[in-house]
Amino acid sequence: MKFTEILPLEHIRQGLVCSSKKRVFETIDRIMAPILQAQGQEGEHYCFDCLFNREKLGNSGLGNGVAMPKGRLPFGDKPIAVFLQLETPVDYETSDHRDVDLILALLIPAGICADFSQSILPELAERLTDKNLCKQLRSAQSAEEIQQIFEYADHLVTENSESDDAQD
């Protein structure tokens, strides 16, 4: 799955200031709330509660200053994502003890959660922690630039899979 398939420009924030992991989740909740309400999800702060409760089960830090919190949606057929580039890293209580400044939050519909978690999440996590990609995302100066970086990363994956197919 491509980053750009689940991450529209209006869900990308660059240079945000958040003081804690809780504030990160609150910011993601504010971004997601109109989308969830439009799809019929009632309940204030649904996204925050979803991410916060899932985080209690295990830290979503991936290492290298990157986190990928996730939660389950009771409806839909396509994941919804938000990407945050923080101006200053926050303490995320990660296993590598590194503060986090790049966050890709995912809400995954319950109907595809098992398949998504088995095949797509590990691939996205691996791609998201690529040192070159992280360096580019950290130096981006706008949401548009971040989107272009993800588009290029998606293009490289497509190119590589096509060349792998040609070799088979």
Side-chain angles (χ1 to χ4, degrees), residues 47-111:
C47 180
F48 174 85
D49 293 339
C50 186
L51 295 174
F52 191 77
N53 290 332
R54 173 57 185 84
E55 192 73 12
K56 289 178 185 177
L57 299 175
N59 190 290
S60 59
L62 301 176
N64 194 28
V66 179
M68 194 166 66
K70 50 207 154 298
R72 188 176 295 189
L73 285 174
F75 58 85
D77 58 359
K78 181 180 174 188
I80 304 170
V82 168
F83 180 80
L84 308 178
Q85 177 218 61
L86 303 181
E87 186 174 301
T88 306
V90 297
D91 179 9
Y92 209 85
E93 303 160 357
T94 60
S95 59
D96 69 354
H97 306 290
R98 182 167 172 187
D99 290 349
V100 166
D101 63 343
L102 300 175
I103 299 125
L104 178 69
L106 293 164
L107 290 183
I108 306 159

Short mmCIF file of all heavy atoms in Angstrom, two decimals, residues 47-111:
data_model
loop_
_atom_site.label_atom_id
_atom_site.label_comp_id
_atom_site.label_asym_id
_atom_site.label_seq_id
_atom_site.Cartn_x
_atom_site.Cartn_y
_atom_site.Cartn_z
N CYS A 47 -11.29 9.42 18.12
CA CYS A 47 -9.95 9.09 17.64
C CYS A 47 -8.94 9.10 18.79
O CYS A 47 -8.13 8.20 18.92
CB CYS A 47 -9.54 10.07 16.54
SG CYS A 47 -7.91 9.76 15.87
N PHE A 48 -9.01 10.12 19.64
CA PHE A 48 -8.10 10.20 20.78
C PHE A 48 -8.24 8.96 21.65
O PHE A 48 -7.25 8.32 22.00
CB PHE A 48 -8.38 11.46 21.62
CG PHE A 48 -7.57 11.51 22.89
CD1 PHE A 48 -6.29 12.03 22.86
CD2 PHE A 48 -8.07 11.01 24.08
CE1 PHE A 48 -5.52 12.05 24.02
CE2 PHE A 48 -7.31 11.03 25.24
CZ PHE A 48 -6.03 11.55 25.22
N ASP A 49 -9.50 8.63 22.01
CA ASP A 49 -9.74 7.46 22.87
C ASP A 49 -9.22 6.19 22.21
O ASP A 49 -8.61 5.34 22.87
CB ASP A 49 -11.23 7.32 23.17
CG ASP A 49 -11.76 8.46 24.04
OD1 ASP A 49 -10.95 9.12 24.72
OD2 ASP A 49 -12.99 8.69 24.01
N CYS A 50 -9.48 6.06 20.93
CA CYS A 50 -9.06 4.88 20.17
C CYS A 50 -7.53 4.72 20.20
O CYS A 50 -7.00 3.66 20.52
CB CYS A 50 -9.57 5.03 18.76
SG CYS A 50 -9.32 3.60 17.71
N LEU A 51 -6.82 5.80 19.89
CA LEU A 51 -5.35 5.75 19.87
C LEU A 51 -4.78 5.58 21.26
O LEU A 51 -3.84 4.80 21.48
CB LEU A 51 -4.79 7.02 19.23
CG LEU A 51 -5.09 7.24 17.75
CD1 LEU A 51 -4.59 8.61 17.30
CD2 LEU A 51 -4.52 6.14 16.89
N PHE A 52 -5.33 6.32 22.22
CA PHE A 52 -4.82 6.28 23.59
C PHE A 52 -5.00 4.88 24.19
O PHE A 52 -4.07 4.34 24.82
CB PHE A 52 -5.54 7.34 24.43
CG PHE A 52 -4.92 7.56 25.77
CD1 PHE A 52 -3.76 8.31 25.91
CD2 PHE A 52 -5.50 7.02 26.91
CE1 PHE A 52 -3.18 8.52 27.16
CE2 PHE A 52 -4.93 7.21 28.16
CZ PHE A 52 -3.77 7.97 28.28
N ASN A 53 -6.18 4.29 24.00
CA ASN A 53 -6.43 2.95 24.55
C ASN A 53 -5.56 1.89 23.88
O ASN A 53 -5.07 0.97 24.54
CB ASN A 53 -7.91 2.59 24.43
CG ASN A 53 -8.77 3.41 25.38
OD1 ASN A 53 -8.30 3.85 26.43
ND2 ASN A 53 -10.00 3.66 25.00
N ARG A 54 -5.35 2.02 22.58
CA ARG A 54 -4.48 1.07 21.87
C ARG A 54 -3.03 1.22 22.35
O ARG A 54 -2.31 0.24 22.49
CB ARG A 54 -4.59 1.29 20.36
CG ARG A 54 -3.62 0.50 19.50
CD ARG A 54 -3.72 -1.01 19.73
NE ARG A 54 -2.74 -1.74 19.01
CZ ARG A 54 -1.48 -1.97 19.40
NH1 ARG A 54 -1.04 -1.48 20.54
NH2 ARG A 54 -0.66 -2.69 18.67
N GLU A 55 -2.63 2.44 22.62
CA GLU A 55 -1.25 2.70 23.07
C GLU A 55 -0.98 2.04 24.42
O GLU A 55 0.15 1.64 24.71
CB GLU A 55 -1.01 4.21 23.15
CG GLU A 55 0.42 4.61 23.32
CD GLU A 55 1.27 4.44 22.06
OE1 GLU A 55 0.73 4.20 20.97
OE2 GLU A 55 2.51 4.54 22.19
N LYS A 56 -2.01 1.89 25.25
CA LYS A 56 -1.86 1.22 26.54
C LYS A 56 -1.45 -0.23 26.37
O LYS A 56 -0.82 -0.82 27.25
CB LYS A 56 -3.16 1.30 27.34
CG LYS A 56 -3.47 2.67 27.86
CD LYS A 56 -4.81 2.64 28.60
CE LYS A 56 -5.24 4.02 29.03
NZ LYS A 56 -6.56 3.99 29.68
N LEU A 57 -1.82 -0.83 25.23
CA LEU A 57 -1.49 -2.24 24.96
C LEU A 57 -0.04 -2.41 24.53
O LEU A 57 0.51 -3.50 24.62
CB LEU A 57 -2.41 -2.80 23.88
CG LEU A 57 -3.89 -2.80 24.20
CD1 LEU A 57 -4.69 -3.29 22.99
CD2 LEU A 57 -4.18 -3.67 25.42
N GLY A 58 0.57 -1.36 24.01
CA GLY A 58 1.95 -1.43 23.56
C GLY A 58 2.36 -0.14 22.88
O GLY A 58 1.58 0.44 22.12
N ASN A 59 3.55 0.29 23.15
CA ASN A 59 4.06 1.54 22.61
C ASN A 59 4.17 1.45 21.09
O ASN A 59 4.65 0.46 20.54
CB ASN A 59 5.42 1.86 23.23
CG ASN A 59 5.89 3.24 22.91
OD1 ASN A 59 6.25 3.52 21.77
ND2 ASN A 59 5.92 4.10 23.90
N SER A 60 3.75 2.51 20.41
CA SER A 60 3.75 2.53 18.95
C SER A 60 5.01 3.15 18.36
O SER A 60 5.07 3.39 17.16
CB SER A 60 2.50 3.27 18.43
OG SER A 60 2.47 4.59 18.92
N GLY A 61 6.01 3.40 19.21
CA GLY A 61 7.28 3.90 18.70
C GLY A 61 7.97 2.84 17.86
O GLY A 61 8.02 1.67 18.24
N LEU A 62 8.49 3.26 16.71
CA LEU A 62 9.16 2.33 15.79
C LEU A 62 10.68 2.42 15.89
O LEU A 62 11.38 1.60 15.33
CB LEU A 62 8.74 2.61 14.35
CG LEU A 62 7.26 2.51 14.02
CD1 LEU A 62 7.00 2.92 12.57
CD2 LEU A 62 6.74 1.10 14.29
N GLY A 63 11.18 3.44 16.57
CA GLY A 63 12.61 3.70 16.63
C GLY A 63 12.98 4.82 15.67
O GLY A 63 12.17 5.24 14.84
N ASN A 64 14.18 5.34 15.85
CA ASN A 64 14.69 6.41 14.97
C ASN A 64 13.82 7.67 15.02
O ASN A 64 13.73 8.41 14.06
CB ASN A 64 14.80 5.89 13.53
CG ASN A 64 15.64 6.81 12.65
OD1 ASN A 64 16.52 7.51 13.13
ND2 ASN A 64 15.34 6.84 11.37
N GLY A 65 13.12 7.91 16.15
CA GLY A 65 12.31 9.11 16.29
C GLY A 65 10.98 9.05 15.56
O GLY A 65 10.37 10.08 15.30
N VAL A 66 10.52 7.84 15.24
CA VAL A 66 9.29 7.65 14.46
C VAL A 66 8.29 6.83 15.27
O VAL A 66 8.67 5.88 15.96
CB VAL A 66 9.60 6.92 13.13
CG1 VAL A 66 8.34 6.69 12.33
CG2 VAL A 66 10.64 7.67 12.32
N ALA A 67 7.02 7.21 15.16
CA ALA A 67 5.94 6.44 15.81
C ALA A 67 4.81 6.23 14.82
O ALA A 67 4.59 7.04 13.92
CB ALA A 67 5.43 7.17 17.04
N MET A 68 4.10 5.12 15.02
CA MET A 68 2.96 4.80 14.17
C MET A 68 1.80 4.32 15.05
O MET A 68 1.49 3.12 15.11
CB MET A 68 3.33 3.74 13.12
CG MET A 68 2.30 3.63 12.02
SD MET A 68 2.86 2.71 10.56
CE MET A 68 3.07 1.07 11.21
N PRO A 69 1.14 5.26 15.76
CA PRO A 69 -0.02 4.85 16.55
C PRO A 69 -1.16 4.42 15.63
O PRO A 69 -1.28 4.92 14.51
CB PRO A 69 -0.38 6.13 17.32
CG PRO A 69 0.18 7.25 16.52
CD PRO A 69 1.39 6.69 15.83
N LYS A 70 -1.94 3.49 16.13
CA LYS A 70 -3.03 2.99 15.30
C LYS A 70 -4.23 2.65 16.16
O LYS A 70 -4.10 2.42 17.36
CB LYS A 70 -2.60 1.79 14.48
CG LYS A 70 -1.92 0.70 15.25
CD LYS A 70 -0.97 -0.08 14.36
CE LYS A 70 0.17 -0.72 15.07
NZ LYS A 70 1.09 0.10 15.76
N GLY A 71 -5.38 2.62 15.51
CA GLY A 71 -6.61 2.28 16.18
C GLY A 71 -7.56 1.65 15.19
O GLY A 71 -7.30 1.61 13.99
N ARG A 72 -8.68 1.16 15.72
CA ARG A 72 -9.65 0.44 14.89
C ARG A 72 -10.92 1.28 14.71
O ARG A 72 -11.42 1.85 15.66
CB ARG A 72 -10.00 -0.87 15.57
CG ARG A 72 -10.85 -1.79 14.73
CD ARG A 72 -11.08 -3.09 15.42
NE ARG A 72 -9.79 -3.79 15.56
CZ ARG A 72 -9.67 -5.04 15.96
NH1 ARG A 72 -10.72 -5.73 16.30
NH2 ARG A 72 -8.50 -5.59 16.04
N LEU A 73 -11.37 1.31 13.48
CA LEU A 73 -12.64 1.97 13.14
C LEU A 73 -13.73 0.91 13.05
O LEU A 73 -13.49 -0.16 12.51
CB LEU A 73 -12.54 2.66 11.77
CG LEU A 73 -11.77 3.95 11.68
CD1 LEU A 73 -11.66 4.39 10.21
CD2 LEU A 73 -12.43 5.03 12.49
N PRO A 74 -14.94 1.22 13.52
CA PRO A 74 -16.02 0.23 13.42
C PRO A 74 -16.66 0.19 12.04
O PRO A 74 -17.56 -0.61 11.81
CB PRO A 74 -17.03 0.72 14.47
CG PRO A 74 -16.80 2.19 14.56
CD PRO A 74 -15.32 2.38 14.30
N PHE A 75 -16.22 1.03 11.12
CA PHE A 75 -16.85 1.14 9.80
C PHE A 75 -15.78 1.41 8.75
O PHE A 75 -14.62 1.65 9.07
CB PHE A 75 -17.87 2.29 9.79
CG PHE A 75 -17.24 3.60 10.16
CD1 PHE A 75 -16.61 4.38 9.21
CD2 PHE A 75 -17.25 4.04 11.48
CE1 PHE A 75 -16.01 5.58 9.55
CE2 PHE A 75 -16.64 5.25 11.82
CZ PHE A 75 -16.02 6.01 10.86
N GLY A 76 -16.20 1.38 7.50
CA GLY A 76 -15.32 1.76 6.41
C GLY A 76 -14.61 0.59 5.76
O GLY A 76 -14.67 -0.55 6.25
N ASP A 77 -13.94 0.89 4.66
CA ASP A 77 -13.19 -0.14 3.94
C ASP A 77 -11.79 0.32 3.59
O ASP A 77 -11.07 -0.38 2.90
CB ASP A 77 -13.95 -0.56 2.67
CG ASP A 77 -14.20 0.62 1.74
OD1 ASP A 77 -13.81 1.75 2.06
OD2 ASP A 77 -14.80 0.39 0.67
N LYS A 78 -11.41 1.50 4.08
CA LYS A 78 -10.09 2.04 3.76
C LYS A 78 -9.52 2.73 5.00
O LYS A 78 -10.23 3.48 5.68
CB LYS A 78 -10.23 3.06 2.62
CG LYS A 78 -8.94 3.67 2.17
CD LYS A 78 -9.17 4.64 1.04
CE LYS A 78 -7.87 5.36 0.72
NZ LYS A 78 -8.06 6.45 -0.22
N PRO A 79 -8.24 2.50 5.30
CA PRO A 79 -7.62 3.17 6.44
C PRO A 79 -7.58 4.69 6.23
O PRO A 79 -7.59 5.18 5.11
CB PRO A 79 -6.19 2.63 6.45
CG PRO A 79 -6.20 1.44 5.57
CD PRO A 79 -7.33 1.61 4.61
N ILE A 80 -7.56 5.40 7.34
CA ILE A 80 -7.42 6.85 7.34
C ILE A 80 -6.13 7.17 8.08
O ILE A 80 -5.89 6.63 9.17
CB ILE A 80 -8.60 7.52 8.05
CG1 ILE A 80 -9.93 7.11 7.42
CG2 ILE A 80 -8.45 9.04 8.03
CD1 ILE A 80 -11.14 7.55 8.24
N ALA A 81 -5.30 8.05 7.52
CA ALA A 81 -4.02 8.37 8.14
C ALA A 81 -3.85 9.86 8.35
O ALA A 81 -4.44 10.68 7.64
CB ALA A 81 -2.88 7.84 7.28
N VAL A 82 -3.01 10.20 9.33
CA VAL A 82 -2.57 11.56 9.59
C VAL A 82 -1.07 11.49 9.79
O VAL A 82 -0.56 10.56 10.43
CB VAL A 82 -3.23 12.13 10.87
CG1 VAL A 82 -2.57 13.42 11.32
CG2 VAL A 82 -4.71 12.37 10.66
N PHE A 83 -0.35 12.47 9.24
CA PHE A 83 1.09 12.53 9.44
C PHE A 83 1.45 13.85 10.10
O PHE A 83 1.00 14.91 9.66
CB PHE A 83 1.86 12.41 8.12
CG PHE A 83 3.35 12.46 8.31
CD1 PHE A 83 4.04 11.34 8.74
CD2 PHE A 83 4.05 13.64 8.11
CE1 PHE A 83 5.41 11.39 8.96
CE2 PHE A 83 5.41 13.71 8.33
CZ PHE A 83 6.10 12.59 8.75
N LEU A 84 2.26 13.77 11.15
CA LEU A 84 2.73 14.96 11.86
C LEU A 84 4.25 15.00 11.84
O LEU A 84 4.90 14.00 12.18
CB LEU A 84 2.27 14.95 13.32
CG LEU A 84 0.79 14.75 13.61
CD1 LEU A 84 0.56 14.73 15.12
CD2 LEU A 84 -0.05 15.83 12.96
N GLN A 85 4.79 16.15 11.46
CA GLN A 85 6.21 16.42 11.62
C GLN A 85 6.29 17.46 12.74
O GLN A 85 5.75 18.56 12.61
CB GLN A 85 6.81 16.99 10.33
CG GLN A 85 8.28 17.37 10.45
CD GLN A 85 8.61 18.64 9.69
OE1 GLN A 85 8.07 19.69 9.98
NE2 GLN A 85 9.49 18.52 8.72
N LEU A 86 6.88 17.07 13.87
CA LEU A 86 6.95 17.97 15.02
C LEU A 86 8.18 18.85 14.95
O LEU A 86 9.26 18.41 14.55
CB LEU A 86 6.97 17.16 16.32
CG LEU A 86 5.79 16.20 16.54
CD1 LEU A 86 5.94 15.49 17.88
CD2 LEU A 86 4.47 16.92 16.44
N GLU A 87 8.01 20.08 15.39
CA GLU A 87 9.15 21.02 15.44
C GLU A 87 10.18 20.55 16.46
O GLU A 87 11.38 20.61 16.21
CB GLU A 87 8.64 22.42 15.79
CG GLU A 87 9.72 23.47 15.71
CD GLU A 87 9.16 24.86 15.92
OE1 GLU A 87 8.29 25.26 15.13
OE2 GLU A 87 9.61 25.54 16.87
N THR A 88 9.69 20.09 17.60
CA THR A 88 10.55 19.59 18.67
C THR A 88 10.06 18.20 19.06
O THR A 88 8.87 18.02 19.32
CB THR A 88 10.48 20.52 19.90
OG1 THR A 88 10.79 21.84 19.49
CG2 THR A 88 11.46 20.09 20.97
N PRO A 89 10.95 17.22 19.12
CA PRO A 89 10.53 15.87 19.48
C PRO A 89 9.92 15.81 20.89
O PRO A 89 10.24 16.61 21.75
CB PRO A 89 11.84 15.06 19.43
CG PRO A 89 12.76 15.86 18.59
CD PRO A 89 12.38 17.29 18.80
N VAL A 90 9.02 14.84 21.08
CA VAL A 90 8.38 14.63 22.37
C VAL A 90 8.81 13.30 22.96
O VAL A 90 9.14 12.36 22.23
CB VAL A 90 6.83 14.68 22.28
CG1 VAL A 90 6.36 16.05 21.84
CG2 VAL A 90 6.29 13.61 21.37
N ASP A 91 8.78 13.22 24.28
CA ASP A 91 9.06 11.96 24.96
C ASP A 91 7.91 11.01 24.66
O ASP A 91 6.76 11.29 24.98
CB ASP A 91 9.19 12.19 26.47
CG ASP A 91 9.46 10.90 27.23
OD1 ASP A 91 9.72 9.86 26.60
OD2 ASP A 91 9.41 10.94 28.47
N TYR A 92 8.22 9.90 24.02
CA TYR A 92 7.20 8.95 23.58
C TYR A 92 7.35 7.60 24.29
O TYR A 92 6.68 6.65 23.98
CB TYR A 92 7.32 8.79 22.06
CG TYR A 92 6.04 8.43 21.36
CD1 TYR A 92 5.14 9.41 20.96
CD2 TYR A 92 5.74 7.11 21.07
CE1 TYR A 92 3.97 9.08 20.30
CE2 TYR A 92 4.56 6.77 20.42
CZ TYR A 92 3.68 7.76 20.03
OH TYR A 92 2.52 7.43 19.39
N GLU A 93 8.30 7.56 25.24
CA GLU A 93 8.54 6.35 26.03
C GLU A 93 8.87 5.15 25.16
O GLU A 93 8.39 4.04 25.38
CB GLU A 93 7.34 6.06 26.93
CG GLU A 93 7.00 7.21 27.86
CD GLU A 93 5.58 7.16 28.40
OE1 GLU A 93 4.82 6.25 28.02
OE2 GLU A 93 5.24 8.06 29.18
N THR A 94 9.68 5.36 24.12
CA THR A 94 10.03 4.30 23.18
C THR A 94 11.10 3.39 23.75
O THR A 94 11.84 3.75 24.67
CB THR A 94 10.53 4.90 21.85
OG1 THR A 94 11.69 5.69 22.12
CG2 THR A 94 9.47 5.74 21.18
N SER A 95 11.20 2.20 23.19
CA SER A 95 12.19 1.23 23.67
C SER A 95 13.62 1.68 23.40
O SER A 95 14.53 1.30 24.11
CB SER A 95 11.94 -0.14 23.05
OG SER A 95 12.02 -0.06 21.64
N ASP A 96 13.82 2.51 22.35
CA ASP A 96 15.17 3.00 22.08
C ASP A 96 15.46 4.32 22.83
O ASP A 96 16.52 4.91 22.65
CB ASP A 96 15.42 3.16 20.58
CG ASP A 96 14.63 4.27 19.91
OD1 ASP A 96 13.76 4.89 20.57
OD2 ASP A 96 14.87 4.53 18.72
N HIS A 97 14.51 4.77 23.65
CA HIS A 97 14.65 5.97 24.48
C HIS A 97 14.89 7.24 23.68
O HIS A 97 15.42 8.21 24.19
CB HIS A 97 15.75 5.79 25.54
CG HIS A 97 15.56 4.58 26.37
ND1 HIS A 97 14.55 4.46 27.30
CD2 HIS A 97 16.22 3.40 26.39
CE1 HIS A 97 14.62 3.27 27.86
NE2 HIS A 97 15.62 2.60 27.33
N ARG A 98 14.50 7.22 22.42
CA ARG A 98 14.66 8.40 21.58
C ARG A 98 13.32 9.12 21.48
O ARG A 98 12.28 8.48 21.28
CB ARG A 98 15.14 7.98 20.19
CG ARG A 98 15.38 9.16 19.29
CD ARG A 98 16.14 8.79 18.05
NE ARG A 98 16.16 9.95 17.17
CZ ARG A 98 16.62 9.93 15.95
NH1 ARG A 98 17.11 8.82 15.45
NH2 ARG A 98 16.61 11.01 15.22
N ASP A 99 13.35 10.43 21.61
CA ASP A 99 12.14 11.22 21.46
C ASP A 99 11.65 11.13 20.01
O ASP A 99 12.43 10.91 19.09
CB ASP A 99 12.39 12.67 21.85
CG ASP A 99 12.60 12.85 23.35
OD1 ASP A 99 12.35 11.89 24.11
OD2 ASP A 99 13.02 13.94 23.76
N VAL A 100 10.36 11.34 19.83
CA VAL A 100 9.71 11.15 18.54
C VAL A 100 9.32 12.50 17.93
O VAL A 100 8.80 13.37 18.60
CB VAL A 100 8.45 10.26 18.71
CG1 VAL A 100 7.56 10.29 17.49
CG2 VAL A 100 8.87 8.82 19.03
N ASP A 101 9.60 12.64 16.62
CA ASP A 101 9.21 13.86 15.91
C ASP A 101 8.48 13.58 14.59
O ASP A 101 8.02 14.51 13.94
CB ASP A 101 10.41 14.77 15.66
CG ASP A 101 11.47 14.14 14.77
OD1 ASP A 101 11.47 12.90 14.60
OD2 ASP A 101 12.31 14.89 14.25
N LEU A 102 8.37 12.32 14.20
CA LEU A 102 7.63 11.94 13.00
C LEU A 102 6.57 10.91 13.38
O LEU A 102 6.91 9.85 13.94
CB LEU A 102 8.57 11.34 11.94
CG LEU A 102 9.71 12.22 11.44
CD1 LEU A 102 10.61 11.44 10.50
CD2 LEU A 102 9.18 13.48 10.77
N ILE A 103 5.30 11.22 13.11
CA ILE A 103 4.21 10.36 13.52
C ILE A 103 3.25 10.11 12.37
O ILE A 103 2.75 11.07 11.77
CB ILE A 103 3.42 10.99 14.70
CG1 ILE A 103 4.35 11.16 15.90
CG2 ILE A 103 2.22 10.14 15.09
CD1 ILE A 103 4.40 12.54 16.43
N LEU A 104 3.02 8.84 12.06
CA LEU A 104 2.00 8.45 11.10
C LEU A 104 0.93 7.69 11.88
O LEU A 104 1.16 6.57 12.32
CB LEU A 104 2.56 7.55 9.99
CG LEU A 104 1.54 7.06 8.97
CD1 LEU A 104 1.06 8.22 8.09
CD2 LEU A 104 2.11 5.95 8.10
N ALA A 105 -0.22 8.34 12.09
CA ALA A 105 -1.32 7.72 12.83
C ALA A 105 -2.28 7.08 11.83
O ALA A 105 -2.59 7.66 10.81
CB ALA A 105 -2.05 8.76 13.66
N LEU A 106 -2.73 5.87 12.17
CA LEU A 106 -3.64 5.12 11.29
C LEU A 106 -4.87 4.68 12.04
O LEU A 106 -4.78 4.16 13.16
CB LEU A 106 -2.94 3.87 10.77
CG LEU A 106 -1.77 4.05 9.83
CD1 LEU A 106 -0.97 2.77 9.71
CD2 LEU A 106 -2.28 4.47 8.47
N LEU A 107 -6.03 4.89 11.41
CA LEU A 107 -7.27 4.29 11.88
C LEU A 107 -7.68 3.29 10.81
O LEU A 107 -7.83 3.63 9.64
CB LEU A 107 -8.36 5.33 12.08
CG LEU A 107 -8.15 6.29 13.25
CD1 LEU A 107 -9.32 7.24 13.38
CD2 LEU A 107 -7.92 5.55 14.56
N ILE A 108 -7.83 2.04 11.23
CA ILE A 108 -8.04 0.94 10.30
C ILE A 108 -9.43 0.33 10.53
O ILE A 108 -9.76 -0.03 11.65
CB ILE A 108 -6.95 -0.15 10.50
CG1 ILE A 108 -5.56 0.49 10.39
CG2 ILE A 108 -7.12 -1.28 9.50
CD1 ILE A 108 -4.46 -0.31 11.03
N PRO A 109 -10.24 0.23 9.48
CA PRO A 109 -11.56 -0.38 9.62
C PRO A 109 -11.48 -1.81 10.15
O PRO A 109 -10.60 -2.59 9.74
CB PRO A 109 -12.13 -0.36 8.20
CG PRO A 109 -11.39 0.75 7.52
CD PRO A 109 -10.01 0.72 8.11
N ALA A 110 -12.38 -2.15 11.04
CA ALA A 110 -12.38 -3.47 11.67
C ALA A 110 -12.43 -4.60 10.64
O ALA A 110 -11.78 -5.63 10.83
CB ALA A 110 -13.56 -3.60 12.64
N GLY A 111 -13.15 -4.40 9.55
CA GLY A 111 -13.30 -5.44 8.53
C GLY A 111 -12.02 -5.82 7.82
O GLY A 111 -11.92 -6.92 7.28
#
